[in-house]
């Protein structure tokens, strides 16, 4: 057989800044979301009647009054649910519709189905008048619930070494409490489901804006009393998710499905923004109590910390959120002796859920606040104290027992501090503050080490289907969902690279439980890692079959067949990919394949909180500069320098976009997004854009410098890339600490402003007043 002297290098598709596959549709407003799908004839519209009480015993509902409302065709209560009245993902403790107990203001109690959406909403608006209930005392804060021993789950404890003994003998001690607010996901497309009966009512298709189609399939099947094979869930794209559509899209899918089967007609349920806020949960707010011992250099010797999360009225995903918080308390630092205690408090508020970072940010920010306090007590630069506490080659095992193999913190930090002129600007800011009585500047650096994988081992799997058509075009279906992050673009790049095709030849179709089954949520930053590998596996199987056919045709060994730029070459000959595919079809060679991937090497002992829960870590760092008006409390981030580790990037443009977006979202959480519940009624008063402020383009720092660290992933991920969805959100820590640094300029040297988060104008003025 002929053997070529050298194989030509394939033209790169992976690693290029290809545009988002739907960008041309997004900018024209032409990308169809679920509400844009044509409504079949006879489509009914649902709306939800919500609890007016934070806590109460449900004694009755005047359904007859609602049925008399114009356009109403049906009203559903808990008694009308044919299967299980549950939409909780882990514990069966979250009813679809309230059955006997009212748990929070905004809990769905009944569903109205009417001929149009406006009539359905008007009828549902009678909830306060038709719901009969006996009020009970509500518990509205996590600290109150914790003090009463009211939790949705047993507490979690993670200990290493002998923290009590080393605290007692530490040269310095720092004790503190701190409170951190939650965060609304505020996806631009709200919760929506469209349920369509199929096969004469024997099957059901649900279009659902969800990050977890397989879980929606299972919960809908349980709610209607069916086996899963009769339910298909489909999602082409979401207008954002951020974790808010991982588990909590289930309630809307279940109600639409139940109504559709009862009426034997299509039913759409789309809630408006106010109801979305009132019904669904968000990022868990945390309260902290810590005791830390450290030496003269600021090195942490021992820590004892309580982390108290506001879980809301049910467990939802609070258990894995708290586990991830405990596993990220160390962030980038060696903590030789540590005791962490995690509590998920049960309150009469919305059930809190996944949000980008999934507990990791709430865990890591605690050690950042501690280190900032240590630096101020010792009169040292906080960046220097952080560097002294970094993991090193001799001290690189986490409190949960996983070695940190890549130690990028020192090199990444040195590069970032140099490129951002940290030391020079620290001096310039001190000079500015000395002559500026009203405006004060602050500067802060924070690092990120974020573990990548679901911390439930069996979720780290994915499947894909790849179909090659006789014209040489390729269709990919995988279990991940596209929520604007560019997952479909990256997966298409992977398949195009594998088959040696231009990106335009590959397309990803809608996520569909009838094509790839038993998928995991698109969450935990694993979308590209899992689905990219699964799609690559499928493409390689097809490629091997085509290579064998080409080798026979060219008279060379299959290993010397090259797929590149739409051509297949070997033995000094070549053929167009499409022509080879046609020949394969005529030769009855299979032109489609399934692919599967399971992340290797993961194990986790949930009881002991020990193991190897993460495949690798993503690293990053941010330097932020803040300007504070000490008369009004108004603050602004004027500059941010970011250096982030994405391994060998699959798509630099998409990755930089994710870094920018994650940073701004983290900055918004910590500086302006404030959730407020009425202290006696339990009503979430910040339930609309008029009262809940999210960052806009105007809040982006005028100077925003983002660079990629560029080191290939040491772990064998898809093309040695790293996840980029969640880790950049933690870069926003630097924004909060820069504002705190500016507040410290208002007080004496070594003062430590008690700045709470979010750092609203009121919080800033309170911190300034405290140090003055």
């Amino acid at each position: 057989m002929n053997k070529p002297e050298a194989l030509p290098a394939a033209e790169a598709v992976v690693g290029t800044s290809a545009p988002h596959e739907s960008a041309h549709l997004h900018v024209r407003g032409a990308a169809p979301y679920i509400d844009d799908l044509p409504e079949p004839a006879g489509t009914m519209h649902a709306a939800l009647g919500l609890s007016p009480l934070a806590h109460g015993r449900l004694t009755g509902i005047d359904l007859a009054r609602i049925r008399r409302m114009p356009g109403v065709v049906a009203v559903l209560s808990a008694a009308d649910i044919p299967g299980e009245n549950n939409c909780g993902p882990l514990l069966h403790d979250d009813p679809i519709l309230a059955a006997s107990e009212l748990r929070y203001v905004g809990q769905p109690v009944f569903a109205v189905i009417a001929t149009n959406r406006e009539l359905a909403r008007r009828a549902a608006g009678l909830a306060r008048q038709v719901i009969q209930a006996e009020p009970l005392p509500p518990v509205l804060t996590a600290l109150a619930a914790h003090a009463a021993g009211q939790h949705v789950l047993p507490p979690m404890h993670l200990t290493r070494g002998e923290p009590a003994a080393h605290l007692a003998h530490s040269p310095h001690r720092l004790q503190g409490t701190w409170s951190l607010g939650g965060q609304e996901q505020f996806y631009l497309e709200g919760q929506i489901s469209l349920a369509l009966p199929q096969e004469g009512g024997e099957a059901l298709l649900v279009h659902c804006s969800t990050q977890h189609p397989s879980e929606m399939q299972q919960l809908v099947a349980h709610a209607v009393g069916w086996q899963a094979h009769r339910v298909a869930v489909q999602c082409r794209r979401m207008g954002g998710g951020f974790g808010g559509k991982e588990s909590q899209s289930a309630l809307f899918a279940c109600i639409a499905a139940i109504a559709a089967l009862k009426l034997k007609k299509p039913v759409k349920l789309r809630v408006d923004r106010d109801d979305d806020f009132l019904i669904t949960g968000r990022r868990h707010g945390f309260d902290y109590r810590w005791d830390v011992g450290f030496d003269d250099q600021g090195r942490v010797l021992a820590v004892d910390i309580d982390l108290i999360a506001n879980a809301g009225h049910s467990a939802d995903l609070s258990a894995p959120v708290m586990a991830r918080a405990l596993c990220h308390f160390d962030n980038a630092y060696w903590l030789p002796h540590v005791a962490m205690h995690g509590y998920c408090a049960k309150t009469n508020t919305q059930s809190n859920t996944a949000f980008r970072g999934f507990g990791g940010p709430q865990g890591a920010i605690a050690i950042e606040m501690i280190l900032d306090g240590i630096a101020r007590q010792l009169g040292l630069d906080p960046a220097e104290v952080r560097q002294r506490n970094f993991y090193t080659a001799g001290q690189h095992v986490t409190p949960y027992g996983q070695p940190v193999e890549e130690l990028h913190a020192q090199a990444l930090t040195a590069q970032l501090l140099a490129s951002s002129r940290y030391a020079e600007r620290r001096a310039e800011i001190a000079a500015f503050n000395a002559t500026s009585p009203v405006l004060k500047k602050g500067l802060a650096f924070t690092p990120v080490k974020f573990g990548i994988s679901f911390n439930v081992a069996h979720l780290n799997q994915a499947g894909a289907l790849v179909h090659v058509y006789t014209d040489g075009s390729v269709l990919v279906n995988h279990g991940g969902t596209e929520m604007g992050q560019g997952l479909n673009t990256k997966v298409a790049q992977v398949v195009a690279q594998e088959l040696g095709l231009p990106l335009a030849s590959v397309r990803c179709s809608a996520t569909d439980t009838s094509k790839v089954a038993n998928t995991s949520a698109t969450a935990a930053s694993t979308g590209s890692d899992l689905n990219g590998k699964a799609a690559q596996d499928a493409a390689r199987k097809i490629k091997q079959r085509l290579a064998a056919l080409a080798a026979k045709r060219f008279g060379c060994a299959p290993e010397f067949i090259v797929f590149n730029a739409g051509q297949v070459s070997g033995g000094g000959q070549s053929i167009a990919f499409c022509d080879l595919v046609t020949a394969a079809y005529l030769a009855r060679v299979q032109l489609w394949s399934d692919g599967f991937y399971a992340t290797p090497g993961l194990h986790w002992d949930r009881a002991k909180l020990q193991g190897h829960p993460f495949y690798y870590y993503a690293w990053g760092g941010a330097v932020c500069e803040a300007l504070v008006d000490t008369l009004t409390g108004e603050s602004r981030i004027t500059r941010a320098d970011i250096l982030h580790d994405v391994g060998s990037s699959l798509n630099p443009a998409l990755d930089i976009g994710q870094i920018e977006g994650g940073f701004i979202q983290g900055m918004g959480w910590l500086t302006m997004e404030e959730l407020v519940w009425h202290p006696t009624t339990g009503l979430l008063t910040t339930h609309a854009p008029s009262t809940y402020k999210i960052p806009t383009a105007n809040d982006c720092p005028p100077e925003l410098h983002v660079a990629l660290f560029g080191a290939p992933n040491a772990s064998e991920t898809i093309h040695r890339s790293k996840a980029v969805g969640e880790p950049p959100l933690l870069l926003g820590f630097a924004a909060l600490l820069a504002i705190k640094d500016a507040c410290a300029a208002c007080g004496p040297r070594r003062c430590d402003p008690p700045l709470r988060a979010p750092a609203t104008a009121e919080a800033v003025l309170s911190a300034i007043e405290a140090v003055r």
Side-chain angles (χ1 to χ4, degrees):
M1 290 186 179
N2 296 324
K3 294 184 179 181
E5 293 181 3
L7 298 178
E11 290 187 8
V13 180
V14 164
T16 62
S17 291
H20 190 289
E21 48 97 22
S22 295
H24 63 295
L25 298 175
H26 290 155
V27 298
R28 292 192 285 117
Y33 296 85
I34 291 173
D35 203 34
D36 301 312
L37 299 178
E39 294 179 2
T43 296
M44 298 287 113
H45 294 263
L48 301 173
L50 308 180
S51 168
L53 296 177
H55 194 199
R57 188 173 294 110
L58 181 63
T59 58
I61 314 169
D62 186 358
L63 298 180
R65 181 175 175 183
I66 305 170
R67 292 189 180 104
R68 291 194 297 267
M69 291 293 289
V72 173
V73 296
V75 184
L76 304 178
S77 67
D80 297 301
I81 298 173
E84 184 182 13
N85 184 15
N86 171 65
C87 57
L90 300 179
L91 303 181
H92 293 205
D93 64 343
D94 199 345
I96 299 167
L97 294 173
S100 58
E101 179 189 14
L102 301 180
R103 299 180 176 185
Y104 67 98
V105 176
Q107 180 181 9
V109 180
F110 60 88
V112 178
I113 297 88
T115 52
N116 67 55
R117 183 169 176 268
E118 184 57 33
L119 293 176
R121 292 189 66 228
R122 287 184 182 182
L126 294 175
R128 183 175 291 275
Q129 301 172 40
V130 302
I131 292 173
Q132 298 143 13
E134 175 189 336
L136 296 171
V139 177
L140 299 175
T141 69
L143 288 178
H146 180 58
Q150 194 169 297
H151 304 100
V152 297
L153 301 158
M156 302 180 187
H157 302 284
L158 174 53
T159 302
R160 173 167 67 186
E162 299 176 335
H166 285 80
L167 277 171
H169 296 96
S170 293
H172 304 278
R173 293 277 287 273
L174 177 66
Q175 296 174 330
T177 62
W178 195 55
S179 180
L180 174 66
Q183 185 181 22
E184 171 62 34
Q185 288 91 355
F186 215 106
Y187 25 69
L188 293 184
E189 177 199 28
Q191 298 279 4
I192 181 171
S193 286
L194 171 62
L196 302 129
Q198 310 281 298
E199 301 292 331
E202 294 298 310
L204 190 66
L205 170 62
V206 182
H207 293 280
C208 181
S209 186
T210 180
Q211 297 171 236
H212 202 343
S214 288
E215 186 170 83
M216 299 308 103
Q217 177 193 31
Q218 294 163 9
L219 290 171
V220 165
H222 292 160
V224 300
W226 282 1
Q227 289 185 300
H229 69 291
R230 294 170 68 180
V231 179
V233 176
Q234 193 176 105
C235 180
R236 174 63 184 90
R237 59 172 58 86
M238 283 171 279
F242 307 114
K245 295 176 180 174
E246 181 174 344
S247 63
Q248 300 218 344
S249 45
L251 186 147
F252 308 94
C254 289
I255 290 175
I258 293 165
L261 293 180
K262 180 180 179 68
L263 298 175
K264 297 180 172 56
K265 290 184 176 181
V267 174
K268 180 190 285 188
L269 173 54
R270 173 171 67 87
V271 292
D272 72 356
R273 185 66 63 180
D274 291 82
D275 287 351
D276 199 324
F277 264 83
L278 290 172
I279 295 168
T280 62
R282 45 199 57 84
R283 183 188 298 282
H284 295 65
F286 270 56
D287 288 278
Y288 307 89
R289 300 168 178 164
W290 60 67
D291 188 355
V292 57
F294 54 97
D295 65 17
D296 294 340
Q297 303 301 309
R299 294 185 183 89
V300 175
L301 303 176
V303 186
D304 191 299
I305 184 169
D306 292 344
L307 299 90
I308 305 164
N310 183 352
H313 75 92
S314 69
D316 195 84
L317 295 169
S318 295
V321 164
M322 179 56 76
R324 187 167 283 257
L326 296 173
C327 289
H328 281 78
F329 172 67
D330 63 317
N331 197 16
Y333 310 110
W334 164 249
L335 304 176
H337 301 275
V338 60
M340 294 176 269
H341 315 282
Y343 304 93
C344 296
K346 182 176 183 178
T347 62
N348 292 112
T349 61
Q350 295 82 1
S351 187
N352 289 320
T353 189
F355 194 128
R356 195 176 193 172
F358 202 80
Q362 295 99 309
I365 197 170
I367 192 65
E368 295 300 335
M369 296 302 294
I370 288 170
L371 289 175
D372 194 77
I374 289 172
R376 296 188 185 282
Q377 184 168 316
L378 294 175
L380 299 173
D381 187 310
E384 187 178 345
V385 170
R386 286 181 166 84
Q387 289 174 292
R388 288 173 181 171
N389 282 283
F390 280 161
Y391 279 110
T392 62
Q395 299 172 327
H396 68 289
V397 179
T398 65
Y400 47 90
Q402 177 167 338
V404 182
E405 304 294 349
E406 290 181 320
L407 297 169
H408 286 332
Q410 290 286 11
L412 188 148
T413 299
Q415 184 177 331
L416 176 61
L417 295 184
S419 65
S420 65
R421 297 181 54 252
Y422 177 87
E424 297 92 327
R425 287 166 60 206
R426 176 64 79 189
E428 292 165 4
I429 287 171
F432 173 89
N433 288 338
T435 59
S436 177
V438 174
L439 298 179
K440 298 292 184 182
K441 290 184 177 181
L443 190 69
F445 156 74
T446 55
V448 172
K449 175 184 69 64
F450 195 90
I452 303 298
S453 291
F454 288 98
N455 49 353
V456 177
H458 72 265
L459 296 178
N460 296 283
Q461 59 176 298
L465 290 173
V466 173
H467 292 216
V468 177
Y469 296 98
T470 53
D471 65 353
S473 63
V474 181
L475 185 67
V476 182
N477 189 273
H478 58 84
T481 54
E482 175 62 59
M483 62 193 90
Q485 82 278 39
L487 173 60
N488 283 342
T489 307
K490 288 184 173 180
V491 171
Q493 285 179 273
V494 167
V495 172
Q497 178 90 7
E498 198 64 37
L499 297 177
L501 295 173
L503 183 57
S505 296
V506 182
R507 177 176 173 267
C508 289
S509 60
T511 311
D512 190 330
T513 58
S514 63
K515 293 181 179 176
V516 177
N518 308 320
T519 57
S520 298
T522 304
S525 305
T526 61
S528 297
D529 283 8
L530 295 178
N531 296 289
K533 275 285 196 180
Q536 184 187 55
D537 179 48
R540 280 182 173 172
K541 292 174 182 175
I542 300 169
K543 184 178 178 180
Q544 287 169 0
R545 297 178 198 134
L546 292 174
L549 181 66
K552 185 176 180 182
R553 185 183 187 115
F554 296 153
C556 67
E559 59 265 29
F560 293 107
I561 298 296
V562 175
F563 292 72
N564 187 29
Q567 296 287 315
V568 182
S569 307
Q573 304 173 63
S574 69
I575 185 174
F577 179 84
C578 58
D579 292 336
L580 179 62
V581 167
T582 300
Y585 172 72
L586 295 175
R588 296 185 295 180
V589 173
Q590 182 179 332
L591 290 170
W592 63 270
S593 187
D594 64 309
F596 182 77
Y597 176 72
T599 310
L602 303 180
H603 57 89
W604 181 243
D605 187 323
R606 189 168 56 182
K608 297 180 180 178
L609 299 179
Q610 292 291 308
H612 195 291
F614 306 120
Y615 191 32
Y616 62 88
Y617 297 99
W619 301 80
V623 172
C624 283
E625 183 176 318
L627 182 66
V628 169
D629 185 327
T630 61
L631 297 180
T632 66
E634 181 183 4
S635 63
R636 183 76 193 269
I637 303 302
T638 56
R639 177 175 169 178
D641 294 81
I642 292 168
L643 183 60
H644 197 73
D645 166 35
V646 297
S648 296
S649 174
L650 294 174
N651 186 315
L654 291 180
D655 286 347
I656 288 173
Q658 285 290 292
I659 294 165
E660 291 172 341
F663 166 73
I664 295 296
Q665 194 167 51
M667 182 187 78
W669 166 44
L670 296 171
T671 65
M672 65 183 71
E673 299 185 44
E674 185 172 32
L675 295 160
V676 179
W677 283 265
H678 191 282
T680 56
T681 67
L683 171 68
L684 177 64
T685 59
T686 51
H687 58 79
S690 57
T691 51
Y692 184 83
K693 177 174 171 51
I694 63 170
T696 68
N698 291 333
D699 297 298
C700 183
E703 288 190 69
L704 178 58
H705 308 285
V706 178
L708 303 180
F709 187 54
N713 195 344
S715 298
E716 194 178 338
T717 54
I718 186 70
H719 292 283
R720 299 288 176 170
S721 63
K722 286 190 177 182
V724 74
E726 295 172 303
L729 187 132
L730 284 71
L731 299 167
F733 294 175
L736 174 69
L737 290 170
I739 295 172
K740 182 184 177 187
D741 192 52
C743 294
C746 300
R749 186 173 179 272
R750 299 194 182 191
C751 70
D752 190 4
L755 180 64
R756 63 182 185 270
T760 59
E762 295 87 348
V764 168
L765 285 176
S766 177
I768 291 172
E769 196 64 33
V771 297
R772 279 179 171 167

